[in-house]
Coordinates of all heavy atoms in Angstrom, one line a residue:
M1 N 70.7 215.2 121.2 CA 69.4 215.2 121.7 C 69.0 213.8 122.2 O 69.4 212.8 121.6 CB 68.4 215.6 120.5 CG 68.4 217.0 120.0 SD 67.0 217.2 119.0 CE 66.5 218.7 119.6
L2 N 68.2 213.8 123.2 CA 67.7 212.6 123.8 C 66.7 211.9 122.9 O 65.7 212.5 122.5 CB 67.2 212.8 125.2 CG 66.7 211.6 126.0 CD1 68.0 210.8 126.3 CD2 66.0 212.0 127.2
G3 N 66.9 210.7 122.5 CA 65.9 210.0 121.7 C 66.2 210.1 120.2 O 65.5 209.4 119.4
F4 N 67.0 211.0 119.7 CA 67.3 211.2 118.3 C 68.2 210.1 117.8 O 69.2 209.8 118.4 CB 67.9 212.5 118.0 CG 68.1 212.8 116.6 CD1 67.1 212.9 115.7 CD2 69.4 212.8 116.1 CE1 67.3 213.1 114.3 CE2 69.6 213.0 114.7 CZ 68.6 213.2 113.9
Q5 N 67.8 209.4 116.7 CA 68.5 208.3 116.2 C 68.9 208.4 114.7 O 68.9 207.5 114.0 CB 67.8 207.0 116.5 CG 67.6 206.7 118.0 CD 66.8 205.4 118.2 OE1 66.4 204.7 117.3 NE2 66.7 205.1 119.5
G6 N 69.1 209.6 114.3 CA 69.5 209.9 112.9 C 68.5 209.6 111.9 O 68.8 209.2 110.8
G7 N 67.2 209.8 112.2 CA 66.2 209.7 111.2 C 65.5 208.4 111.1 O 64.5 208.2 110.4
Q8 N 66.1 207.3 111.8 CA 65.4 206.0 111.7 C 64.3 206.0 112.7 O 64.1 206.9 113.5 CB 66.4 204.9 112.0 CG 66.9 204.9 113.5 CD 68.0 203.8 113.6 OE1 68.4 203.2 112.7 NE2 68.3 203.5 114.9
L9 N 63.5 205.0 112.7 CA 62.3 204.8 113.5 C 62.8 204.8 115.0 O 63.7 204.0 115.3 CB 61.6 203.6 113.2 CG 60.1 203.4 113.6 CD1 59.3 204.6 113.1 CD2 59.5 202.1 113.2
S10 N 62.2 205.5 115.8 CA 62.7 205.6 117.2 C 62.4 204.3 118.0 O 61.6 203.5 117.6 CB 62.0 206.8 118.0 OG 60.6 206.5 118.1
L11 N 63.1 204.1 119.0 CA 63.0 202.9 119.8 C 61.6 202.7 120.4 O 61.1 201.6 120.4 CB 64.1 203.0 121.0 CG 64.2 201.7 121.8 CD1 64.6 200.5 121.0 CD2 65.1 201.9 123.0
L12 N 61.0 203.8 120.8 CA 59.6 203.6 121.4 C 58.6 203.1 120.3 O 57.7 202.4 120.7 CB 59.1 205.0 121.9 CG 59.5 205.2 123.4 CD1 59.1 206.6 123.8 CD2 58.8 204.1 124.3
K13 N 58.8 203.5 119.1 CA 57.9 203.1 118.1 C 58.2 201.7 117.6 O 57.3 201.0 117.1 CB 57.9 204.1 116.9 CG 57.2 205.4 117.2 CD 57.1 206.2 116.0 CE 56.4 207.5 116.4 NZ 56.2 208.4 115.3
R14 N 59.4 201.2 117.8 CA 59.8 199.9 117.4 C 59.4 198.8 118.4 O 59.4 197.7 118.1 CB 61.3 199.8 117.2 CG 61.7 200.4 115.8 CD 63.2 200.2 115.6 NE 64.0 201.2 116.3 CZ 65.2 201.0 116.8 NH1 65.9 199.9 116.5 NH2 65.8 202.0 117.4
L15 N 59.2 199.2 119.6 CA 58.8 198.3 120.7 C 57.3 198.5 121.1 O 57.0 199.3 121.9 CB 59.7 198.6 122.0 CG 61.1 198.4 121.8 CD1 61.9 198.8 123.1 CD2 61.5 197.0 121.4
P16 N 56.4 197.7 120.4 CA 55.0 197.9 120.7 C 54.6 197.5 122.1 O 53.6 198.0 122.6 CB 54.4 197.0 119.7 CG 55.4 196.0 119.3 CD 56.7 196.7 119.5
S17 N 55.4 196.8 122.8 CA 55.1 196.4 124.2 C 55.1 197.6 125.1 O 54.6 197.6 126.2 CB 56.0 195.3 124.7 OG 57.3 195.8 124.8
M18 N 55.8 198.6 124.7 CA 56.0 199.8 125.6 C 54.8 200.8 125.4 O 54.6 201.7 126.2 CB 57.2 200.6 125.2 CG 58.5 199.8 125.3 SD 58.8 199.3 127.0 CE 59.5 200.8 127.6
R19 N 53.9 200.5 124.4 CA 52.8 201.4 124.2 C 51.5 200.7 124.7 O 51.6 199.6 125.1 CB 52.6 201.7 122.7 CG 53.8 202.4 122.1 CD 53.5 202.8 120.7 NE 53.0 201.6 119.9 CZ 53.5 201.3 118.7 NH1 54.3 202.1 118.1 NH2 53.0 200.2 118.1
G20 N 50.4 201.4 124.7 CA 49.2 200.8 125.0 C 48.6 201.4 126.3 O 49.1 202.3 126.9
F21 N 47.5 200.7 126.7 CA 46.8 201.2 127.9 C 46.9 200.3 129.0 O 46.8 199.1 128.8 CB 45.3 201.4 127.4 CG 44.4 201.7 128.6 CD1 44.4 203.0 129.1 CD2 43.5 200.8 129.1 CE1 43.5 203.3 130.1 CE2 42.7 201.1 130.1 CZ 42.7 202.4 130.6
T22 N 47.1 200.8 130.2 CA 47.1 200.0 131.4 C 46.0 200.5 132.3 O 46.1 201.7 132.7 CB 48.5 200.1 132.1 OG1 49.5 199.7 131.2 CG2 48.5 199.3 133.4
N23 N 45.1 199.7 132.6 CA 44.0 200.1 133.5 C 44.5 200.1 134.9 O 44.8 199.1 135.5 CB 42.8 199.1 133.3 CG 41.6 199.6 134.1 OD1 41.6 200.6 134.7 ND2 40.5 198.8 133.9
I24 N 44.5 201.3 135.5 CA 44.9 201.4 136.9 C 43.9 201.0 137.9 O 44.2 200.8 139.1 CB 45.4 202.9 137.2 CG1 44.2 203.8 137.1 CG2 46.5 203.3 136.3 CD1 44.5 205.2 137.6
F25 N 42.7 200.7 137.5 CA 41.6 200.3 138.4 C 41.4 198.8 138.3 O 40.4 198.3 138.9 CB 40.3 201.1 138.1 CG 40.4 202.5 138.2 CD1 40.5 203.4 137.2 CD2 40.6 203.1 139.5 CE1 40.6 204.7 137.3 CE2 40.7 204.4 139.7 CZ 40.7 205.3 138.6
R26 N 42.2 198.1 137.6 CA 42.0 196.6 137.4 C 42.2 195.9 138.8 O 43.1 196.2 139.6 CB 43.1 196.1 136.5 CG 43.0 194.6 136.3 CD 44.1 194.1 135.4 NE 44.1 192.7 135.5 CZ 44.5 191.9 134.5 NH1 44.8 192.4 133.4 NH2 44.5 190.6 134.7
Q27 N 41.3 195.0 139.0 CA 41.3 194.3 140.3 C 41.9 192.9 140.0 O 41.4 192.1 139.2 CB 39.9 194.1 140.8 CG 39.8 193.4 142.1 CD 40.5 194.1 143.2 OE1 40.2 195.3 143.5 NE2 41.4 193.5 143.9
E28 N 43.0 192.6 140.7 CA 43.6 191.3 140.7 C 43.0 190.4 141.7 O 42.8 190.8 142.9 CB 45.1 191.4 140.9 CG 45.8 192.1 139.8 CD 46.0 191.3 138.5 OE1 46.0 190.1 138.6 OE2 46.0 191.9 137.4
Y29 N 42.8 189.1 141.4 CA 42.2 188.1 142.3 C 43.2 187.0 142.6 O 44.0 186.6 141.7 CB 40.9 187.5 141.7 CG 39.8 188.5 141.7 CD1 39.5 189.2 140.6 CD2 38.9 188.6 142.8 CE1 38.4 190.1 140.6 CE2 37.9 189.5 142.8 CZ 37.6 190.2 141.7 OH 36.5 191.1 141.7
S30 N 43.1 186.5 143.8 CA 43.8 185.2 144.1 C 42.9 184.1 143.7 O 41.7 184.0 144.1 CB 44.1 185.1 145.6 OG 45.0 186.2 146.0
I31 N 43.4 183.2 142.9 CA 42.5 182.2 142.3 C 42.7 180.9 143.0 O 43.8 180.4 143.3 CB 43.0 181.9 140.8 CG1 42.9 183.2 140.0 CG2 42.2 180.8 140.1 CD1 41.5 183.8 139.9
V32 N 41.5 180.2 143.3 CA 41.5 178.9 144.0 C 40.5 178.1 143.2 O 39.4 178.5 142.9 CB 41.0 179.0 145.5 CG1 41.0 177.7 146.1 CG2 42.0 179.9 146.2
N33 N 40.9 176.8 142.9 CA 40.0 175.9 142.2 C 39.3 174.9 143.1 O 39.8 174.7 144.2 CB 40.8 175.2 141.1 CG 41.1 176.0 139.9 OD1 40.2 176.4 139.2 ND2 42.4 176.3 139.7
L34 N 38.2 174.4 142.7 CA 37.5 173.4 143.5 C 38.3 172.2 143.8 O 38.1 171.6 144.9 CB 36.2 173.0 142.9 CG 35.1 174.1 142.9 CD1 33.8 173.6 142.2 CD2 34.8 174.6 144.2
D35 N 39.1 171.7 142.9 CA 39.9 170.5 143.2 C 40.9 170.7 144.4 O 41.2 169.8 145.1 CB 40.6 170.0 142.0 CG 41.5 171.0 141.3 OD1 41.5 172.1 141.8 OD2 42.1 170.7 140.3
Q36 N 41.3 172.0 144.6 CA 42.1 172.3 145.8 C 41.3 172.2 147.0 O 41.8 171.8 148.1 CB 42.8 173.7 145.6 CG 43.8 173.8 144.5 CD 44.2 175.2 144.3 OE1 43.4 176.1 144.0 NE2 45.5 175.4 144.4
L37 N 40.1 172.7 147.0 CA 39.2 172.8 148.2 C 38.8 171.4 148.6 O 38.3 171.3 149.8 CB 38.0 173.7 147.9 CG 38.4 175.2 147.7 CD1 37.1 176.0 147.4 CD2 39.1 175.8 148.9
S38 N 38.9 170.4 147.8 CA 38.4 169.1 148.2 C 39.3 168.5 149.3 O 39.0 167.4 149.8 CB 38.3 168.2 147.0 OG 39.6 168.0 146.4
A39 N 40.5 169.1 149.6 CA 41.4 168.7 150.6 C 40.8 168.9 152.0 O 41.3 168.3 153.0 CB 42.7 169.3 150.5
F40 N 39.9 169.8 152.1 CA 39.3 170.1 153.5 C 38.3 169.0 153.9 O 37.6 168.4 153.0 CB 38.6 171.4 153.5 CG 39.5 172.6 153.4 CD1 39.7 173.3 152.2 CD2 40.3 173.0 154.5 CE1 40.5 174.4 152.1 CE2 41.1 174.0 154.4 CZ 41.3 174.8 153.3
P41 N 38.2 168.7 155.2 CA 37.2 167.7 155.6 C 35.8 168.1 155.4 O 35.5 169.3 155.3 CB 37.6 167.5 157.1 CG 38.4 168.7 157.5 CD 39.0 169.2 156.3
P42 N 34.8 167.2 155.4 CA 33.4 167.5 155.2 C 32.9 168.5 156.3 O 33.4 168.5 157.4 CB 32.7 166.2 155.2 CG 33.8 165.2 154.9 CD 35.0 165.7 155.5
D43 N 31.9 169.2 155.9 CA 31.2 170.2 156.8 C 32.1 171.2 157.5 O 31.9 171.6 158.6 CB 30.4 169.4 157.9 CG 29.4 168.5 157.3 OD1 28.8 168.9 156.3 OD2 29.2 167.4 157.8
T44 N 33.1 171.7 156.7 CA 34.0 172.7 157.2 C 33.6 174.0 156.6 O 33.2 174.1 155.4 CB 35.5 172.4 156.7 OG1 35.8 171.1 157.2 CG2 36.4 173.4 157.3
K45 N 33.7 175.1 157.4 CA 33.5 176.4 156.8 C 34.9 176.9 156.3 O 35.8 177.2 157.2 CB 33.0 177.4 157.8 CG 32.7 178.7 157.3 CD 32.0 179.6 158.2 CE 31.8 181.0 157.5 NZ 31.0 181.9 158.2
V46 N 35.1 177.0 155.0 CA 36.4 177.4 154.5 C 36.4 178.9 154.3 O 35.6 179.5 153.5 CB 36.6 176.7 153.1 CG1 37.9 177.1 152.5 CG2 36.5 175.2 153.3
T47 N 37.3 179.6 154.9 CA 37.5 181.0 154.8 C 38.8 181.4 154.1 O 39.7 180.5 154.0 CB 37.5 181.7 156.2 OG1 38.6 181.1 156.9 CG2 36.2 181.4 156.9
P48 N 39.0 182.6 153.7 CA 40.3 183.0 153.1 C 41.5 182.8 154.0 O 42.6 182.4 153.6 CB 40.1 184.4 152.7 CG 38.7 184.6 152.4 CD 38.0 183.7 153.4
D49 N 41.3 182.9 155.3 CA 42.3 182.7 156.3 C 42.8 181.2 156.3 O 44.0 180.9 156.3 CB 41.9 183.0 157.7 CG 41.6 184.5 157.9 OD1 42.3 185.3 157.3 OD2 40.7 184.8 158.6
M50 N 41.8 180.3 156.1 CA 42.2 178.9 156.0 C 42.9 178.5 154.7 O 43.7 177.7 154.7 CB 40.9 178.0 156.2 CG 40.3 178.1 157.5 SD 38.7 177.2 157.6 CE 39.3 175.5 157.6
M51 N 42.5 179.3 153.7 CA 43.2 179.1 152.4 C 44.6 179.5 152.4 O 45.5 178.9 151.8 CB 42.4 179.8 151.3 CG 41.1 179.2 151.0 SD 40.2 180.2 149.7 CE 38.5 180.0 150.1
V52 N 44.9 180.6 153.2 CA 46.3 181.0 153.3 C 47.1 180.0 154.1 O 48.2 179.6 153.8 CB 46.4 182.4 154.0 CG1 47.8 182.8 154.4 CG2 45.8 183.5 153.1
A53 N 46.5 179.5 155.2 CA 47.1 178.5 156.1 C 47.4 177.2 155.3 O 48.4 176.5 155.5 CB 46.3 178.2 157.3
A54 N 46.5 176.8 154.3 CA 46.7 175.6 153.5 C 47.7 175.9 152.4 O 48.1 174.9 151.7 CB 45.4 175.1 153.0
G55 N 48.0 177.1 152.1 CA 49.0 177.4 151.0 C 48.3 177.6 149.7 O 49.0 177.6 148.7
F56 N 47.0 177.7 149.6 CA 46.3 177.9 148.3 C 46.5 179.3 147.8 O 46.5 179.6 146.6 CB 44.9 177.6 148.4 CG 44.6 176.1 148.8 CD1 43.5 175.8 149.6 CD2 45.5 175.1 148.4 CE1 43.3 174.5 149.9 CE2 45.3 173.8 148.8 CZ 44.2 173.5 149.5
I57 N 46.5 180.3 148.7 CA 46.8 181.7 148.3 C 47.9 182.3 149.1 O 48.2 181.7 150.2 CB 45.5 182.6 148.4 CG1 44.9 182.5 149.8 CG2 44.4 182.1 147.4 CD1 43.7 183.4 150.0
R58 N 48.5 183.3 148.7 CA 49.7 183.8 149.4 C 49.4 184.8 150.5 O 50.0 184.7 151.6 CB 50.6 184.6 148.4 CG 51.3 183.6 147.4 CD 52.1 184.4 146.5 NE 52.6 183.5 145.4 CZ 53.9 183.2 145.3 NH1 54.8 183.7 146.2 NH2 54.3 182.4 144.4
N59 N 48.4 185.7 150.3 CA 48.1 186.7 151.4 C 46.7 187.1 151.2 O 46.0 186.7 150.3 CB 49.0 187.9 151.3 CG 49.0 188.6 150.0 OD1 48.1 188.5 149.2 ND2 50.1 189.2 149.7
L60 N 46.2 187.9 152.1 CA 44.8 188.3 152.1 C 44.6 189.7 151.5 O 43.5 190.3 151.6 CB 44.3 188.3 153.6 CG 44.2 187.0 154.2 CD1 43.8 187.1 155.7 CD2 43.3 186.0 153.5
N61 N 45.7 190.3 150.9 CA 45.5 191.6 150.3 C 44.7 191.6 149.1 O 43.9 192.5 148.8 CB 46.9 192.1 149.9 CG 47.8 192.4 151.2 OD1 47.2 192.6 152.3 ND2 49.1 192.4 151.0
D62 N 44.7 190.5 148.3 CA 43.9 190.4 147.1 C 42.6 189.6 147.4 O 42.6 188.7 148.2 CB 44.6 189.6 146.0 CG 45.8 190.4 145.4 OD1 45.8 191.6 145.6 OD2 46.8 189.8 144.9
P63 N 41.5 190.0 146.8 CA 40.3 189.2 147.0 C 40.4 187.8 146.4 O 41.2 187.6 145.5 CB 39.2 190.0 146.3 CG 39.9 191.0 145.4 CD 41.3 191.2 146.0
V64 N 39.6 186.9 146.9 CA 39.7 185.5 146.5 C 38.5 185.2 145.5 O 37.4 185.6 145.7 CB 39.6 184.6 147.7 CG1 39.6 183.1 147.3 CG2 40.7 184.8 148.7
K65 N 38.9 184.5 144.4 CA 37.9 184.1 143.4 C 38.0 182.6 143.3 O 39.0 182.0 143.1 CB 38.1 184.7 142.1 CG 37.1 184.4 141.1 CD 37.2 185.2 139.8 CE 36.0 185.0 138.9 NZ 36.2 185.9 137.7
I66 N 36.8 181.9 143.4 CA 36.7 180.4 143.4 C 36.3 180.1 141.9 O 35.3 180.5 141.4 CB 35.7 179.9 144.4 CG1 36.0 180.4 145.8 CG2 35.7 178.4 144.3 CD1 37.3 179.9 146.4
L67 N 37.2 179.2 141.3 CA 36.9 178.7 139.9 C 36.4 177.3 140.0 O 36.6 176.6 140.9 CB 38.1 178.8 139.1 CG 38.8 180.2 138.9 CD1 40.0 180.1 138.0 CD2 37.8 181.2 138.4
G68 N 35.7 176.9 138.9 CA 35.0 175.6 138.9 C 35.8 174.4 138.3 O 35.2 173.4 137.9
R69 N 37.2 174.5 138.3 CA 37.9 173.4 137.8 C 37.9 172.2 138.8 O 38.2 172.4 140.0 CB 39.4 173.8 137.5 CG 40.1 172.7 136.8 CD 41.6 173.0 136.7 NE 42.2 172.9 138.0 CZ 43.4 173.3 138.3 NH1 44.1 174.0 137.4 NH2 44.0 173.2 139.5
G70 N 37.6 171.0 138.4 CA 37.6 169.9 139.3 C 36.2 169.7 139.9 O 35.3 170.4 139.6
D71 N 36.1 168.6 140.7 CA 34.8 168.3 141.3 C 35.0 168.4 142.8 O 36.1 168.2 143.4 CB 34.4 166.9 141.0 CG 34.0 166.8 139.5 OD1 33.4 167.8 139.0 OD2 34.3 165.8 138.9
L72 N 33.9 168.7 143.5 CA 33.8 168.7 144.9 C 32.9 167.6 145.4 O 31.8 167.5 145.1 CB 33.3 170.1 145.4 CG 33.4 170.5 146.8 CD1 34.9 170.6 147.2 CD2 32.8 171.8 147.1
E73 N 33.5 166.7 146.2 CA 32.8 165.5 146.7 C 32.1 165.7 148.0 O 31.1 165.1 148.3 CB 33.8 164.3 146.8 CG 34.6 164.1 145.6 CD 33.8 163.6 144.4 OE1 32.8 162.9 144.6 OE2 34.2 163.9 143.3
T74 N 32.6 166.7 148.8 CA 32.0 166.8 150.2 C 31.3 168.2 150.3 O 31.6 169.1 149.5 CB 33.2 166.8 151.2 OG1 34.1 167.9 150.9 CG2 33.9 165.5 151.2
A75 N 30.4 168.3 151.2 CA 29.7 169.5 151.5 C 30.5 170.5 152.3 O 30.9 170.2 153.4 CB 28.4 169.2 152.2
L76 N 30.8 171.6 151.7 CA 31.6 172.6 152.4 C 30.9 174.0 152.3 O 30.1 174.2 151.4 CB 33.0 172.8 151.7 CG 33.9 171.6 151.7 CD1 35.1 172.0 150.8 CD2 34.4 171.3 153.1
T77 N 31.1 174.8 153.3 CA 30.6 176.2 153.3 C 31.8 177.0 153.0 O 32.8 177.1 153.7 CB 30.0 176.6 154.7 OG1 29.0 175.7 155.0 CG2 29.5 178.0 154.6
I78 N 31.8 177.7 151.8 CA 33.0 178.4 151.3 C 32.7 179.9 151.3 O 31.7 180.3 150.7 CB 33.3 177.9 149.9 CG1 33.6 176.4 149.9 CG2 34.5 178.6 149.4 CD1 33.8 175.8 148.6
S79 N 33.6 180.7 151.9 CA 33.4 182.1 151.9 C 34.5 182.7 151.0 O 35.7 182.4 151.2 CB 33.6 182.6 153.3 OG 32.6 182.1 154.2
A80 N 34.1 183.6 150.1 CA 35.1 184.2 149.2 C 34.4 185.5 148.6 O 33.2 185.6 148.8 CB 35.6 183.3 148.1
Q81 N 35.2 186.3 147.9 CA 34.6 187.5 147.3 C 33.9 187.2 146.1 O 32.9 187.9 145.8 CB 35.8 188.5 147.1 CG 36.2 189.3 148.3 CD 37.2 188.5 149.2 OE1 37.6 187.4 148.8 NE2 37.5 189.0 150.4
R82 N 34.4 186.3 145.2 CA 33.7 186.0 143.9 C 33.7 184.5 143.7 O 34.6 183.7 144.1 CB 34.5 186.6 142.8 CG 34.6 188.1 142.8 CD 33.4 188.7 142.1 NE 33.6 190.1 142.0 CZ 32.8 191.0 142.6 NH1 31.8 190.6 143.3 NH2 33.0 192.3 142.5
F83 N 32.7 184.1 142.9 CA 32.5 182.7 142.5 C 32.1 182.7 141.1 O 31.3 183.5 140.6 CB 31.4 182.0 143.3 CG 31.7 181.8 144.8 CD1 31.4 182.8 145.7 CD2 32.3 180.7 145.3 CE1 31.7 182.7 147.0 CE2 32.6 180.5 146.6 CZ 32.3 181.5 147.5
T84 N 32.6 181.7 140.3 CA 32.1 181.5 138.9 C 30.8 180.8 139.0 O 30.5 180.1 140.0 CB 33.1 180.8 138.1 OG1 33.4 179.5 138.6 CG2 34.4 181.5 137.9
K85 N 30.0 180.8 137.9 CA 28.8 180.1 137.9 C 28.9 178.6 138.1 O 28.2 178.0 138.8 CB 28.0 180.5 136.6 CG 27.5 181.9 136.5 CD 26.8 182.1 135.2 CE 26.4 183.6 135.1 NZ 25.8 183.8 133.8
S86 N 30.0 178.1 137.4 CA 30.2 176.6 137.5 C 30.6 176.2 138.9 O 30.2 175.2 139.4 CB 31.2 176.2 136.4 OG 32.4 176.8 136.7
A87 N 31.4 177.0 139.5 CA 31.9 176.7 140.9 C 30.7 176.8 141.8 O 30.5 175.9 142.7 CB 32.9 177.7 141.3
R88 N 29.8 177.8 141.7 CA 28.7 177.9 142.6 C 27.7 176.7 142.4 O 27.3 176.1 143.4 CB 27.9 179.2 142.2 CG 26.8 179.5 143.1 CD 26.1 180.8 142.7 NE 26.9 181.9 142.7 CZ 27.1 182.8 143.7 NH1 26.4 182.5 144.8 NH2 27.9 183.8 143.6
A89 N 27.5 176.3 141.1 CA 26.7 175.1 140.9 C 27.2 173.8 141.4 O 26.5 173.0 142.0 CB 26.4 175.0 139.4
K90 N 28.5 173.6 141.3 CA 29.2 172.4 141.8 C 29.2 172.4 143.3 O 29.0 171.3 143.9 CB 30.6 172.3 141.3 CG 30.7 171.9 139.8 CD 32.1 171.8 139.3 CE 32.2 171.5 137.9 NZ 33.5 171.4 137.4
I91 N 29.4 173.5 144.0 CA 29.4 173.5 145.5 C 28.0 173.2 146.0 O 27.8 172.4 146.9 CB 29.8 174.9 146.0 CG1 31.3 175.1 145.6 CG2 29.6 175.1 147.5 CD1 31.8 176.5 145.8
E92 N 26.9 173.8 145.4 CA 25.6 173.6 145.8 C 25.1 172.2 145.4 O 24.3 171.6 146.2 CB 24.7 174.6 145.2 CG 24.9 176.0 145.8 CD 24.2 177.1 145.2 OE1 23.5 176.9 144.1 OE2 24.2 178.3 145.7
A93 N 25.6 171.6 144.4 CA 25.3 170.2 144.0 C 25.8 169.2 145.0 O 25.3 168.2 145.2 CB 25.7 169.9 142.6
A94 N 27.0 169.6 145.6 CA 27.6 168.7 146.5 C 27.0 168.8 147.9 O 27.4 168.1 148.9 CB 29.1 168.9 146.6
G95 N 26.0 169.7 148.1 CA 25.4 169.9 149.4 C 26.0 171.0 150.2 O 25.7 171.2 151.4
G96 N 26.9 171.8 149.6 CA 27.6 172.9 150.3 C 26.8 174.2 150.2 O 25.8 174.3 149.5
R97 N 27.4 175.2 150.8 CA 26.9 176.6 150.7 C 27.9 177.6 150.2 O 29.1 177.3 150.4 CB 26.4 177.1 152.0 CG 25.1 176.4 152.5 CD 24.5 177.0 153.7 NE 25.5 177.8 154.5 CZ 25.3 178.5 155.5 NH1 24.1 178.6 155.9 NH2 26.2 179.1 156.1
V98 N 27.5 178.7 149.6 CA 28.3 179.7 149.1 C 28.0 181.0 149.9 O 26.9 181.4 150.0 CB 28.1 179.9 147.6 CG1 28.8 181.2 147.1 CG2 28.5 178.7 146.8
E99 N 29.1 181.6 150.4 CA 28.9 182.9 151.1 C 29.9 183.9 150.5 O 31.1 183.7 150.5 CB 29.3 182.7 152.6 CG 28.3 181.8 153.4 CD 28.7 181.7 154.8 OE1 29.8 182.2 155.2 OE2 28.0 181.0 155.6
E100 N 29.2 184.9 149.9 CA 30.0 186.0 149.3 C 30.4 187.0 150.4 O 29.6 187.5 151.1 CB 29.3 186.7 148.2 CG 29.2 185.8 147.0 CD 28.9 186.6 145.7 OE1 29.2 187.8 145.7 OE2 28.4 186.0 144.8
I101 N 31.7 187.4 150.4 CA 32.2 188.4 151.3 C 32.2 189.7 150.6 O 32.6 189.8 149.4 CB 33.7 188.1 151.8 CG1 33.7 186.7 152.4 CG2 34.2 189.2 152.6 CD1 35.1 186.3 152.7
V102 N 31.6 190.7 151.2 CA 31.5 192.0 150.5 C 32.7 192.9 150.8 O 33.3 192.9 151.8 CB 30.2 192.7 151.0 CG1 30.1 194.1 150.3 CG2 29.0 191.9 150.7

């Protein structure tokens, strides 16, 4: 019989990593931090295409999320799908703008 192991605990029950729930609707994001975006010159409109060209993200299949690690010294207009609250505050404090892509 397939899976029968002579009365001992079966392999599936011994490996807890094989059990559990996997959300099939989970959305994966490409992550970019503010310290990476400080490489762009002032008054630049930063789009996901420019982030791919700069090597910050791999492709445009996943939406982009901007995180607030680091500081932004220059005013940039940044377009992305999601922004954290700290990233939004730091961008606007530096004189930049935030544009959410729907």
Side-chain angles (χ1 to χ4, degrees):
M1 289 195 136
L2 185 66
F4 181 70
Q5 297 180 357
Q8 69 182 14
L9 198 59
S10 69
L11 184 63
L12 270 174
K13 289 186 178 182
R14 281 187 280 156
L15 299 175
S17 63
M18 302 295 282
R19 297 185 309 224
F21 174 74
T22 302
N23 186 359
I24 62 170
F25 299 108
R26 178 182 167 146
Q27 181 63 53
E28 292 287 333
Y29 287 94
S30 296
I31 303 298
V32 179
N33 284 294
L34 286 180
D35 56 358
Q36 294 174 299
L37 295 177
S38 62
F40 288 105
D43 299 324
T44 305
K45 181 172 181 173
V46 181
T47 61
D49 294 324
M50 295 176 70
M51 293 179 208
V52 170
F56 299 147
I57 58 177
R58 291 179 186 248
N59 56 25
L60 296 174
N61 294 337
D62 293 335
V64 178
K65 185 170 186 177
I66 307 295
L67 302 182
R69 186 186 77 194
D71 290 323
L72 193 62
E73 307 295 328
T74 60
L76 298 173
T77 302
I78 302 173
S79 299
Q81 282 80 6
R82 297 271 188 247
F83 294 88
T84 60
K85 290 179 185 178
S86 62
R88 186 182 300 268
K90 288 179 182 181
I91 292 168
E92 291 172 353
R97 287 189 338 173
V98 170
E99 294 179 357
E100 285 200 26
I101 302 171
V102 180

